[in-house]
PDB file of all heavy atoms in Angstrom:
ATOM      1  N   THR J 540      64.954  55.731 179.481  1.00 98.00           N
ATOM      2  CA  THR J 540      65.162  56.416 178.206  1.00 98.00           C
ATOM      3  C   THR J 540      65.578  55.450 177.109  1.00 98.00           C
ATOM      4  O   THR J 540      66.123  54.369 177.361  1.00 98.00           O
ATOM      5  CB  THR J 540      66.232  57.506 178.341  1.00 98.00           C
ATOM      6  OG1 THR J 540      67.457  56.908 178.785  1.00 98.00           O
ATOM      7  CG2 THR J 540      65.805  58.573 179.330  1.00 98.00           C
ATOM      8  N   ASN J 541      65.333  55.911 175.881  1.00 98.00           N
ATOM      9  CA  ASN J 541      65.688  55.130 174.702  1.00 98.00           C
ATOM     10  C   ASN J 541      66.119  56.118 173.625  1.00 98.00           C
ATOM     11  O   ASN J 541      65.474  57.171 173.466  1.00 98.00           O
ATOM     12  CB  ASN J 541      64.478  54.320 174.226  1.00 98.00           C
ATOM     13  CG  ASN J 541      64.776  53.529 172.982  1.00 98.00           C
ATOM     14  OD1 ASN J 541      65.710  52.759 172.936  1.00 98.00           O
ATOM     15  ND2 ASN J 541      63.964  53.728 171.945  1.00 98.00           N
ATOM     16  N   TYR J 542      67.208  55.791 172.908  1.00 98.00           N
ATOM     17  CA  TYR J 542      67.718  56.692 171.878  1.00 98.00           C
ATOM     18  C   TYR J 542      67.994  55.932 170.587  1.00 98.00           C
ATOM     19  O   TYR J 542      68.410  54.762 170.610  1.00 98.00           O
ATOM     20  CB  TYR J 542      69.043  57.334 172.327  1.00 98.00           C
ATOM     21  CG  TYR J 542      68.951  58.195 173.558  1.00 98.00           C
ATOM     22  CD1 TYR J 542      69.157  57.660 174.819  1.00 98.00           C
ATOM     23  CD2 TYR J 542      68.654  59.551 173.446  1.00 98.00           C
ATOM     24  CE1 TYR J 542      69.078  58.451 175.955  1.00 98.00           C
ATOM     25  CE2 TYR J 542      68.578  60.359 174.578  1.00 98.00           C
ATOM     26  CZ  TYR J 542      68.788  59.789 175.828  1.00 98.00           C
ATOM     27  OH  TYR J 542      68.702  60.578 176.947  1.00 98.00           O
ATOM     28  N   VAL J 543      67.813  56.617 169.471  1.00 98.00           N
ATOM     29  CA  VAL J 543      68.269  56.064 168.212  1.00 98.00           C
ATOM     30  C   VAL J 543      69.797  56.094 168.223  1.00 98.00           C
ATOM     31  O   VAL J 543      70.418  56.977 168.836  1.00 98.00           O
ATOM     32  CB  VAL J 543      67.682  56.860 167.026  1.00 98.00           C
ATOM     33  CG1 VAL J 543      68.237  58.273 166.984  1.00 98.00           C
ATOM     34  CG2 VAL J 543      67.914  56.134 165.726  1.00 98.00           C
ATOM     35  N   ASP J 544      70.434  55.121 167.576  1.00 98.00           N
ATOM     36  CA  ASP J 544      71.892  54.996 167.663  1.00 98.00           C
ATOM     37  C   ASP J 544      72.623  56.265 167.235  1.00 98.00           C
ATOM     38  O   ASP J 544      73.658  56.613 167.806  1.00 98.00           O
ATOM     39  CB  ASP J 544      72.363  53.816 166.805  1.00 98.00           C
ATOM     40  CG  ASP J 544      72.046  52.474 167.435  1.00 98.00           C
ATOM     41  OD1 ASP J 544      71.712  52.429 168.639  1.00 98.00           O
ATOM     42  OD2 ASP J 544      72.130  51.457 166.721  1.00 98.00           O
ATOM     43  N   SER J 545      72.094  56.960 166.248  1.00 98.00           N
ATOM     44  CA  SER J 545      72.811  58.104 165.683  1.00 98.00           C
ATOM     45  C   SER J 545      72.936  59.290 166.643  1.00 98.00           C
ATOM     46  O   SER J 545      73.737  60.189 166.401  1.00 98.00           O
ATOM     47  CB  SER J 545      72.134  58.563 164.398  1.00 98.00           C
ATOM     48  OG  SER J 545      70.800  58.946 164.645  1.00 98.00           O
ATOM     49  N   VAL J 546      72.159  59.300 167.730  1.00 98.00           N
ATOM     50  CA  VAL J 546      72.231  60.431 168.665  1.00 98.00           C
ATOM     51  C   VAL J 546      72.750  60.028 170.032  1.00 98.00           C
ATOM     52  O   VAL J 546      72.930  60.884 170.904  1.00 98.00           O
ATOM     53  CB  VAL J 546      70.862  61.129 168.821  1.00 98.00           C
ATOM     54  CG1 VAL J 546      70.276  61.505 167.464  1.00 98.00           C
ATOM     55  CG2 VAL J 546      69.881  60.279 169.618  1.00 98.00           C
ATOM     56  N   LYS J 547      73.005  58.756 170.225  1.00 98.00           N
ATOM     57  CA  LYS J 547      73.493  58.296 171.530  1.00 98.00           C
ATOM     58  C   LYS J 547      74.808  58.990 171.874  1.00 98.00           C
ATOM     59  O   LYS J 547      75.707  59.087 171.046  1.00 98.00           O
ATOM     60  CB  LYS J 547      73.687  56.779 171.518  1.00 98.00           C
ATOM     61  CG  LYS J 547      72.391  55.997 171.592  1.00 98.00           C
ATOM     62  CD  LYS J 547      72.651  54.500 171.571  1.00 98.00           C
ATOM     63  CE  LYS J 547      71.342  53.724 171.653  1.00 98.00           C
ATOM     64  NZ  LYS J 547      71.559  52.249 171.559  1.00 98.00           N
ATOM     65  N   GLY J 548      74.882  59.463 173.111  1.00 98.00           N
ATOM     66  CA  GLY J 548      76.078  60.164 173.558  1.00 98.00           C
ATOM     67  C   GLY J 548      76.086  61.641 173.235  1.00 98.00           C
ATOM     68  O   GLY J 548      76.937  62.383 173.732  1.00 98.00           O
ATOM     69  N   ARG J 549      75.154  62.082 172.400  1.00 98.00           N
ATOM     70  CA  ARG J 549      75.079  63.499 172.028  1.00 98.00           C
ATOM     71  C   ARG J 549      73.791  64.158 172.525  1.00 98.00           C
ATOM     72  O   ARG J 549      73.802  65.331 172.893  1.00 98.00           O
ATOM     73  CB  ARG J 549      75.167  63.651 170.516  1.00 98.00           C
ATOM     74  CG  ARG J 549      76.431  63.113 169.902  1.00 98.00           C
ATOM     75  CD  ARG J 549      76.546  63.480 168.417  1.00 98.00           C
ATOM     76  NE  ARG J 549      75.480  62.915 167.611  1.00 98.00           N
ATOM     77  CZ  ARG J 549      74.639  63.651 166.874  1.00 98.00           C
ATOM     78  NH1 ARG J 549      74.733  64.967 166.855  1.00 98.00           N
ATOM     79  NH2 ARG J 549      73.707  63.050 166.153  1.00 98.00           N
ATOM     80  N   PHE J 550      72.682  63.430 172.495  1.00 98.00           N
ATOM     81  CA  PHE J 550      71.389  63.971 172.897  1.00 98.00           C
ATOM     82  C   PHE J 550      70.978  63.375 174.244  1.00 98.00           C
ATOM     83  O   PHE J 550      71.276  62.214 174.540  1.00 98.00           O
ATOM     84  CB  PHE J 550      70.307  63.620 171.882  1.00 98.00           C
ATOM     85  CG  PHE J 550      70.429  64.311 170.548  1.00 98.00           C
ATOM     86  CD1 PHE J 550      71.557  65.031 170.185  1.00 98.00           C
ATOM     87  CD2 PHE J 550      69.383  64.240 169.634  1.00 98.00           C
ATOM     88  CE1 PHE J 550      71.661  65.671 168.969  1.00 98.00           C
ATOM     89  CE2 PHE J 550      69.468  64.868 168.393  1.00 98.00           C
ATOM     90  CZ  PHE J 550      70.607  65.568 168.068  1.00 98.00           C
ATOM     91  N   THR J 551      70.277  64.163 175.024  1.00 98.00           N
ATOM     92  CA  THR J 551      69.737  63.706 176.300  1.00 98.00           C
ATOM     93  C   THR J 551      68.280  64.133 176.426  1.00 98.00           C
ATOM     94  O   THR J 551      67.968  65.322 176.321  1.00 98.00           O
ATOM     95  CB  THR J 551      70.529  64.280 177.479  1.00 98.00           C
ATOM     96  OG1 THR J 551      71.917  63.911 177.378  1.00 98.00           O
ATOM     97  CG2 THR J 551      69.988  63.732 178.808  1.00 98.00           C
ATOM     98  N   ILE J 552      67.420  63.152 176.641  1.00 98.00           N
ATOM     99  CA  ILE J 552      66.017  63.448 176.869  1.00 98.00           C
ATOM    100  C   ILE J 552      65.746  63.442 178.366  1.00 98.00           C
ATOM    101  O   ILE J 552      66.315  62.634 179.108  1.00 98.00           O
ATOM    102  CB  ILE J 552      65.105  62.436 176.134  1.00 98.00           C
ATOM    103  CG1 ILE J 552      63.643  62.871 176.200  1.00 98.00           C
ATOM    104  CG2 ILE J 552      65.284  61.025 176.682  1.00 98.00           C
ATOM    105  CD1 ILE J 552      62.719  62.038 175.302  1.00 98.00           C
ATOM    106  N   SER J 553      64.894  64.359 178.801  1.00 98.00           N
ATOM    107  CA  SER J 553      64.518  64.411 180.209  1.00 98.00           C
ATOM    108  C   SER J 553      63.088  64.934 180.311  1.00 98.00           C
ATOM    109  O   SER J 553      62.517  65.409 179.321  1.00 98.00           O
ATOM    110  CB  SER J 553      65.479  65.304 181.003  1.00 98.00           C
ATOM    111  OG  SER J 553      65.465  66.636 180.503  1.00 98.00           O
ATOM    112  N   ARG J 554      62.519  64.837 181.502  1.00 97.00           N
ATOM    113  CA  ARG J 554      61.162  65.326 181.701  1.00 97.00           C
ATOM    114  C   ARG J 554      61.001  65.854 183.109  1.00 97.00           C
ATOM    115  O   ARG J 554      61.675  65.398 184.043  1.00 97.00           O
ATOM    116  CB  ARG J 554      60.125  64.235 181.397  1.00 97.00           C
ATOM    117  CG  ARG J 554      60.228  63.009 182.275  1.00 97.00           C
ATOM    118  CD  ARG J 554      59.335  61.881 181.739  1.00 97.00           C
ATOM    119  NE  ARG J 554      57.911  62.132 181.965  1.00 97.00           N
ATOM    120  CZ  ARG J 554      56.927  61.370 181.460  1.00 97.00           C
ATOM    121  NH1 ARG J 554      57.244  60.339 180.679  1.00 97.00           N
ATOM    122  NH2 ARG J 554      55.671  61.635 181.718  1.00 97.00           N
ATOM    123  N   ASP J 555      60.082  66.793 183.243  1.00 96.00           N
ATOM    124  CA  ASP J 555      59.707  67.367 184.522  1.00 96.00           C
ATOM    125  C   ASP J 555      58.247  67.024 184.729  1.00 96.00           C
ATOM    126  O   ASP J 555      57.359  67.694 184.189  1.00 96.00           O
ATOM    127  CB  ASP J 555      59.935  68.883 184.487  1.00 96.00           C
ATOM    128  CG  ASP J 555      59.511  69.577 185.771  1.00 96.00           C
ATOM    129  OD1 ASP J 555      58.901  68.936 186.638  1.00 96.00           O
ATOM    130  OD2 ASP J 555      59.782  70.784 185.895  1.00 96.00           O
ATOM    131  N   ASN J 556      57.981  65.968 185.471  1.00 95.00           N
ATOM    132  CA  ASN J 556      56.609  65.489 185.618  1.00 95.00           C
ATOM    133  C   ASN J 556      55.722  66.499 186.343  1.00 95.00           C
ATOM    134  O   ASN J 556      54.521  66.584 186.069  1.00 95.00           O
ATOM    135  CB  ASN J 556      56.595  64.157 186.355  1.00 95.00           C
ATOM    136  CG  ASN J 556      57.180  63.031 185.519  1.00 95.00           C
ATOM    137  OD1 ASN J 556      57.104  63.052 184.293  1.00 95.00           O
ATOM    138  ND2 ASN J 556      57.771  62.049 186.176  1.00 95.00           N
ATOM    139  N   ALA J 557      56.287  67.271 187.231  1.00 94.00           N
ATOM    140  CA  ALA J 557      55.487  68.245 187.974  1.00 94.00           C
ATOM    141  C   ALA J 557      54.940  69.340 187.061  1.00 94.00           C
ATOM    142  O   ALA J 557      53.884  69.913 187.327  1.00 94.00           O
ATOM    143  CB  ALA J 557      56.328  68.861 189.086  1.00 94.00           C
ATOM    144  N   ASN J 558      55.678  69.620 185.982  1.00 95.00           N
ATOM    145  CA  ASN J 558      55.263  70.679 185.063  1.00 95.00           C
ATOM    146  C   ASN J 558      54.864  70.163 183.689  1.00 95.00           C
ATOM    147  O   ASN J 558      54.680  70.955 182.765  1.00 95.00           O
ATOM    148  CB  ASN J 558      56.399  71.701 184.918  1.00 95.00           C
ATOM    149  CG  ASN J 558      56.624  72.480 186.193  1.00 95.00           C
ATOM    150  OD1 ASN J 558      55.728  73.194 186.650  1.00 95.00           O
ATOM    151  ND2 ASN J 558      57.795  72.339 186.795  1.00 95.00           N
ATOM    152  N   ASN J 559      54.710  68.836 183.572  1.00 95.00           N
ATOM    153  CA  ASN J 559      54.253  68.227 182.313  1.00 95.00           C
ATOM    154  C   ASN J 559      55.097  68.681 181.124  1.00 95.00           C
ATOM    155  O   ASN J 559      54.560  69.034 180.060  1.00 95.00           O
ATOM    156  CB  ASN J 559      52.776  68.563 182.063  1.00 95.00           C
ATOM    157  CG  ASN J 559      51.868  67.991 183.117  1.00 95.00           C
ATOM    158  OD1 ASN J 559      52.153  66.946 183.694  1.00 95.00           O
ATOM    159  ND2 ASN J 559      50.782  68.676 183.406  1.00 95.00           N
ATOM    160  N   THR J 560      56.391  68.680 181.308  1.00 97.00           N
ATOM    161  CA  THR J 560      57.302  69.186 180.285  1.00 97.00           C
ATOM    162  C   THR J 560      58.400  68.174 180.005  1.00 97.00           C
ATOM    163  O   THR J 560      58.862  67.491 180.922  1.00 97.00           O
ATOM    164  CB  THR J 560      57.930  70.511 180.750  1.00 97.00           C
ATOM    165  OG1 THR J 560      56.890  71.453 181.013  1.00 97.00           O
ATOM    166  CG2 THR J 560      58.847  71.087 179.678  1.00 97.00           C
ATOM    167  N   GLU J 561      58.793  68.095 178.750  1.00 98.00           N
ATOM    168  CA  GLU J 561      59.934  67.273 178.382  1.00 98.00           C
ATOM    169  C   GLU J 561      60.952  68.138 177.656  1.00 98.00           C
ATOM    170  O   GLU J 561      60.615  69.191 177.116  1.00 98.00           O
ATOM    171  CB  GLU J 561      59.531  66.085 177.509  1.00 98.00           C
ATOM    172  CG  GLU J 561      58.994  66.436 176.147  1.00 98.00           C
ATOM    173  CD  GLU J 561      58.900  65.230 175.218  1.00 98.00           C
ATOM    174  OE1 GLU J 561      59.726  64.311 175.316  1.00 98.00           O
ATOM    175  OE2 GLU J 561      58.001  65.245 174.358  1.00 98.00           O
ATOM    176  N   TYR J 562      62.181  67.668 177.657  1.00 98.00           N
ATOM    177  CA  TYR J 562      63.282  68.407 177.066  1.00 98.00           C
ATOM    178  C   TYR J 562      64.131  67.470 176.205  1.00 98.00           C
ATOM    179  O   TYR J 562      64.188  66.268 176.434  1.00 98.00           O
ATOM    180  CB  TYR J 562      64.180  69.007 178.160  1.00 98.00           C
ATOM    181  CG  TYR J 562      63.449  69.870 179.146  1.00 98.00           C
ATOM    182  CD1 TYR J 562      62.976  69.332 180.348  1.00 98.00           C
ATOM    183  CD2 TYR J 562      63.206  71.209 178.890  1.00 98.00           C
ATOM    184  CE1 TYR J 562      62.302  70.120 181.265  1.00 98.00           C
ATOM    185  CE2 TYR J 562      62.520  72.004 179.803  1.00 98.00           C
ATOM    186  CZ  TYR J 562      62.074  71.447 180.980  1.00 98.00           C
ATOM    187  OH  TYR J 562      61.391  72.231 181.878  1.00 98.00           O
ATOM    188  N   LEU J 563      64.802  68.065 175.237  1.00 98.00           N
ATOM    189  CA  LEU J 563      65.805  67.348 174.463  1.00 98.00           C
ATOM    190  C   LEU J 563      67.036  68.244 174.375  1.00 98.00           C
ATOM    191  O   LEU J 563      67.013  69.249 173.684  1.00 98.00           O
ATOM    192  CB  LEU J 563      65.296  66.993 173.063  1.00 98.00           C
ATOM    193  CG  LEU J 563      66.246  66.115 172.252  1.00 98.00           C
ATOM    194  CD1 LEU J 563      66.354  64.728 172.877  1.00 98.00           C
ATOM    195  CD2 LEU J 563      65.770  66.003 170.805  1.00 98.00           C
ATOM    196  N   GLN J 564      68.074  67.874 175.104  1.00 98.00           N
ATOM    197  CA  GLN J 564      69.334  68.581 175.034  1.00 98.00           C
ATOM    198  C   GLN J 564      70.162  67.963 173.922  1.00 98.00           C
ATOM    199  O   GLN J 564      70.448  66.765 173.950  1.00 98.00           O
ATOM    200  CB  GLN J 564      70.082  68.478 176.367  1.00 98.00           C
ATOM    201  CG  GLN J 564      71.447  69.138 176.370  1.00 98.00           C
ATOM    202  CD  GLN J 564      71.371  70.644 176.219  1.00 98.00           C
ATOM    203  OE1 GLN J 564      70.530  71.304 176.839  1.00 98.00           O
ATOM    204  NE2 GLN J 564      72.238  71.215 175.391  1.00 98.00           N
ATOM    205  N   MET J 565      70.519  68.788 172.944  1.00 98.00           N
ATOM    206  CA  MET J 565      71.232  68.297 171.767  1.00 98.00           C
ATOM    207  C   MET J 565      72.611  68.947 171.733  1.00 98.00           C
ATOM    208  O   MET J 565      72.726  70.166 171.588  1.00 98.00           O
ATOM    209  CB  MET J 565      70.453  68.627 170.498  1.00 98.00           C
ATOM    210  CG  MET J 565      69.034  68.082 170.512  1.00 98.00           C
ATOM    211  SD  MET J 565      68.148  68.372 168.955  1.00 98.00           S
ATOM    212  CE  MET J 565      68.011  70.148 168.982  1.00 98.00           C
ATOM    213  N   ASN J 566      73.639  68.135 171.883  1.00 98.00           N
ATOM    214  CA  ASN J 566      75.019  68.603 171.842  1.00 98.00           C
ATOM    215  C   ASN J 566      75.745  68.018 170.641  1.00 98.00           C
ATOM    216  O   ASN J 566      75.269  67.058 170.029  1.00 98.00           O
ATOM    217  CB  ASN J 566      75.750  68.201 173.121  1.00 98.00           C
ATOM    218  CG  ASN J 566      75.144  68.796 174.371  1.00 98.00           C
ATOM    219  OD1 ASN J 566      74.608  69.907 174.340  1.00 98.00           O
ATOM    220  ND2 ASN J 566      75.215  68.072 175.473  1.00 98.00           N
ATOM    221  N   SER J 567      76.875  68.608 170.312  1.00 98.00           N
ATOM    222  CA  SER J 567      77.689  68.125 169.183  1.00 98.00           C
ATOM    223  C   SER J 567      76.842  67.916 167.944  1.00 98.00           C
ATOM    224  O   SER J 567      76.924  66.878 167.273  1.00 98.00           O
ATOM    225  CB  SER J 567      78.406  66.816 169.569  1.00 98.00           C
ATOM    226  OG  SER J 567      79.206  66.999 170.708  1.00 98.00           O
ATOM    227  N   LEU J 568      76.043  68.894 167.632  1.00 98.00           N
ATOM    228  CA  LEU J 568      75.113  68.775 166.507  1.00 98.00           C
ATOM    229  C   LEU J 568      75.842  68.639 165.186  1.00 98.00           C
ATOM    230  O   LEU J 568      76.926  69.225 164.981  1.00 98.00           O
ATOM    231  CB  LEU J 568      74.173  69.969 166.479  1.00 98.00           C
ATOM    232  CG  LEU J 568      73.037  69.897 167.500  1.00 98.00           C
ATOM    233  CD1 LEU J 568      72.441  71.273 167.782  1.00 98.00           C
ATOM    234  CD2 LEU J 568      71.951  68.937 167.023  1.00 98.00           C
ATOM    235  N   LYS J 569      75.248  67.859 164.300  1.00 98.00           N
ATOM    236  CA  LYS J 569      75.796  67.600 162.976  1.00 98.00           C
ATOM    237  C   LYS J 569      74.804  68.072 161.918  1.00 98.00           C
ATOM    238  O   LYS J 569      73.601  68.117 162.184  1.00 98.00           O
ATOM    239  CB  LYS J 569      76.046  66.100 162.810  1.00 98.00           C
ATOM    240  CG  LYS J 569      76.951  65.491 163.865  1.00 98.00           C
ATOM    241  CD  LYS J 569      77.053  63.973 163.669  1.00 98.00           C
ATOM    242  CE  LYS J 569      77.952  63.334 164.713  1.00 98.00           C
ATOM    243  NZ  LYS J 569      78.045  61.859 164.529  1.00 98.00           N
ATOM    244  N   PRO J 570      75.288  68.368 160.723  1.00 97.00           N
ATOM    245  CA  PRO J 570      74.354  68.777 159.651  1.00 97.00           C
ATOM    246  C   PRO J 570      73.248  67.741 159.416  1.00 97.00           C
ATOM    247  O   PRO J 570      72.114  68.120 159.090  1.00 97.00           O
ATOM    248  CB  PRO J 570      75.268  68.915 158.435  1.00 97.00           C
ATOM    249  CG  PRO J 570      76.596  69.293 159.014  1.00 97.00           C
ATOM    250  CD  PRO J 570      76.692  68.525 160.302  1.00 97.00           C
ATOM    251  N   GLU J 571      73.541  66.482 159.606  1.00 97.00           N
ATOM    252  CA  GLU J 571      72.521  65.449 159.399  1.00 97.00           C
ATOM    253  C   GLU J 571      71.445  65.447 160.479  1.00 97.00           C
ATOM    254  O   GLU J 571      70.460  64.716 160.373  1.00 97.00           O
ATOM    255  CB  GLU J 571      73.153  64.057 159.280  1.00 97.00           C
ATOM    256  CG  GLU J 571      74.104  63.692 160.392  1.00 97.00           C
ATOM    257  CD  GLU J 571      75.553  63.951 160.024  1.00 97.00           C
ATOM    258  OE1 GLU J 571      75.850  65.018 159.414  1.00 97.00           O
ATOM    259  OE2 GLU J 571      76.405  63.097 160.345  1.00 97.00           O
ATOM    260  N   ASP J 572      71.618  66.230 161.525  1.00 98.00           N
ATOM    261  CA  ASP J 572      70.568  66.390 162.532  1.00 98.00           C
ATOM    262  C   ASP J 572      69.514  67.416 162.089  1.00 98.00           C
ATOM    263  O   ASP J 572      68.489  67.576 162.763  1.00 98.00           O
ATOM    264  CB  ASP J 572      71.163  66.846 163.866  1.00 98.00           C
ATOM    265  CG  ASP J 572      72.064  65.800 164.495  1.00 98.00           C
ATOM    266  OD1 ASP J 572      71.704  64.614 164.469  1.00 98.00           O
ATOM    267  OD2 ASP J 572      73.133  66.181 165.009  1.00 98.00           O
ATOM    268  N   THR J 573      69.770  68.088 160.977  1.00 98.00           N
ATOM    269  CA  THR J 573      68.813  69.065 160.465  1.00 98.00           C
ATOM    270  C   THR J 573      67.482  68.395 160.165  1.00 98.00           C
ATOM    271  O   THR J 573      67.425  67.403 159.436  1.00 98.00           O
ATOM    272  CB  THR J 573      69.359  69.739 159.197  1.00 98.00           C
ATOM    273  OG1 THR J 573      70.519  70.504 159.537  1.00 98.00           O
ATOM    274  CG2 THR J 573      68.315  70.645 158.559  1.00 98.00           C
ATOM    275  N   ALA J 574      66.422  68.913 160.754  1.00 98.00           N
ATOM    276  CA  ALA J 574      65.097  68.305 160.595  1.00 98.00           C
ATOM    277  C   ALA J 574      64.062  69.166 161.303  1.00 98.00           C
ATOM    278  O   ALA J 574      64.392  70.075 162.070  1.00 98.00           O
ATOM    279  CB  ALA J 574      65.076  66.891 161.171  1.00 98.00           C
ATOM    280  N   LEU J 575      62.819  68.814 161.063  1.00 98.00           N
ATOM    281  CA  LEU J 575      61.706  69.360 161.837  1.00 98.00           C
ATOM    282  C   LEU J 575      61.475  68.394 163.004  1.00 98.00           C
ATOM    283  O   LEU J 575      61.232  67.213 162.771  1.00 98.00           O
ATOM    284  CB  LEU J 575      60.477  69.480 160.953  1.00 98.00           C
ATOM    285  CG  LEU J 575      59.269  70.260 161.473  1.00 98.00           C
ATOM    286  CD1 LEU J 575      59.662  71.693 161.833  1.00 98.00           C
ATOM    287  CD2 LEU J 575      58.163  70.257 160.424  1.00 98.00           C
TER     288      LEU J 575
END
Side-chain angles (χ1 to χ4, degrees):
T540 59
N541 178 55
Y542 298 91
V543 67
D544 286 346
S545 60
V546 308
K547 285 180 180 177
R549 300 188 298 122
F550 291 11
T551 302
I552 189 171
S553 60
R554 61 190 287 172
D555 178 352
N556 290 331
N558 292 298
N559 297 330
T560 302
E561 66 167 328
Y562 305 94
L563 186 67
Q564 177 66 43
M565 304 184 293
N566 299 328
S567 303
L568 282 160
K569 304 176 180 180
E571 51 263 42
D572 294 318
T573 295
L575 191 57

